């Protein structure tokens, strides 16, 4: 009985070694930057706020199908809305998050992918009018998801386009379309 267990263990260990070699991680990292055209929508408001952000990303591709990345960014375009003598302004202070990226490698230079992770963001809002002024800042975290595609220009340089839903809870949705570039190393 012990010989069967030892033989089975040896075969399993040799098989695991072979499988581990076949599944070795791809040593490919990347750095990139995107400009994000954000839309802030809130229940009860007839107007949406259009914001802009610069977002940097750093990632590692572990297989041709899976990568993990960190993103961080800040607002560069705020929006003000005026009505009836009152003005409201909204600005993005920051976005940070961690994401898994599942892609579909193929023979073309286009690499489609989906993104899933968590984003923490902070917004600041202010309002002023005949009765005075007020301001508030608030940060929240939510599950984020998106879809996009990388377009290989060279072996080390890609451009991309992406749609991402960063935040969607309590009657508030923050989503956006982005364009950017990535360097592979």
């Amino acid at each position: 009985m012990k010989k069967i267990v030892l033989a089975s263990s040896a075969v399993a260990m040799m098989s695991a070694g072979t499988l581990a070699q076949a599944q070795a991680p791809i040593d490919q990292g990347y750095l990139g930057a995107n400009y994000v055209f954000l839309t802030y929508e809130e229940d009860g408001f007839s107007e949406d706020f259009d914001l802009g952000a610069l977002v940097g990303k750093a990632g590692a591709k572990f297989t041709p199908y899976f990568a993990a990345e960190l993103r961080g960014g800040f607002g560069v375009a705020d929006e003000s809305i005026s009505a009836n003598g009152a003005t409201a302004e909204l600005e993005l202070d920051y976005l940070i998050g961690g994401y898994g990226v599942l892609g579909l490698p193929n023979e073309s230079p286009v690499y489609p992918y989906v993104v899933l992770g968590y984003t923490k963001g902070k917004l600041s809002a202010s309002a002023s009018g005949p009765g005075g002024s007020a301001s508030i800042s608030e940060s929240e975290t939510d599950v984020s998801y998106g879809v996009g595609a990388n377009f290989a220009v060279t072996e080390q340089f890609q451009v991309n386009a992406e749609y991402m839903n960063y935040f969607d809870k309590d009657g508030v949705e923050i989503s956006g379309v982005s364009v950017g570039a990535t360097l592979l190393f």
Side-chain angles (χ1 to χ4, degrees):
M1 181 71 164
K2 286 183 181 180
K3 288 183 181 182
I4 294 173
V5 171
L6 287 174
S8 299
S9 298
V11 169
M13 287 175 27
M14 287 189 295
S15 299
T18 303
L19 289 173
Q21 286 177 352
Q23 297 296 323
I26 296 173
D27 288 331
Q28 187 172 41
Y30 57 92
L31 294 172
N34 283 43
Y35 185 86
V36 186
F37 300 91
L38 290 169
T39 301
Y40 174 93
E41 300 174 59
E42 185 172 343
D43 292 347
F45 282 94
S46 60
E47 296 280 333
D48 296 340
F49 285 88
D50 294 320
L51 308 171
L54 284 177
V55 175
K57 62 184 174 182
K61 200 169 195 180
F62 296 105
T63 73
Y65 303 94
F66 178 73
E69 64 184 44
L70 298 173
R71 298 182 185 187
F74 56 91
V76 294
D78 309 333
E79 184 170 23
S80 296
I81 296 176
S82 297
N84 300 325
T87 301
E89 183 173 299
L90 184 68
E91 67 179 273
L92 173 69
D93 295 325
Y94 68 83
L95 284 173
I96 56 172
Y99 310 92
V101 180
L102 293 173
L104 186 60
N106 58 71
E107 297 295 320
S108 78
V110 179
Y111 180 81
Y113 62 86
V114 295
V115 180
L116 179 65
Y118 285 94
T119 302
K120 179 175 183 169
K122 182 178 180 186
L123 294 169
S124 295
S126 61
S128 61
S133 63
S135 63
I136 186 170
S137 267
E138 192 168 319
S139 62
E140 280 288 341
T141 303
D142 198 14
V143 173
S144 303
Y145 55 90
V147 61
N150 292 328
F151 305 92
V153 177
T154 69
E155 285 187 30
Q156 281 78 37
F157 182 73
Q158 299 174 342
V159 294
N160 71 322
E162 179 180 276
Y163 167 80
M164 193 80 169
N165 186 307
Y166 292 99
F167 185 84
D168 189 3
K169 68 179 186 183
D170 300 330
V172 173
E173 181 179 345
I174 301 172
S175 59
V177 174
S178 68
V179 292
T182 304
L183 292 174
L184 307 170
F185 52 90

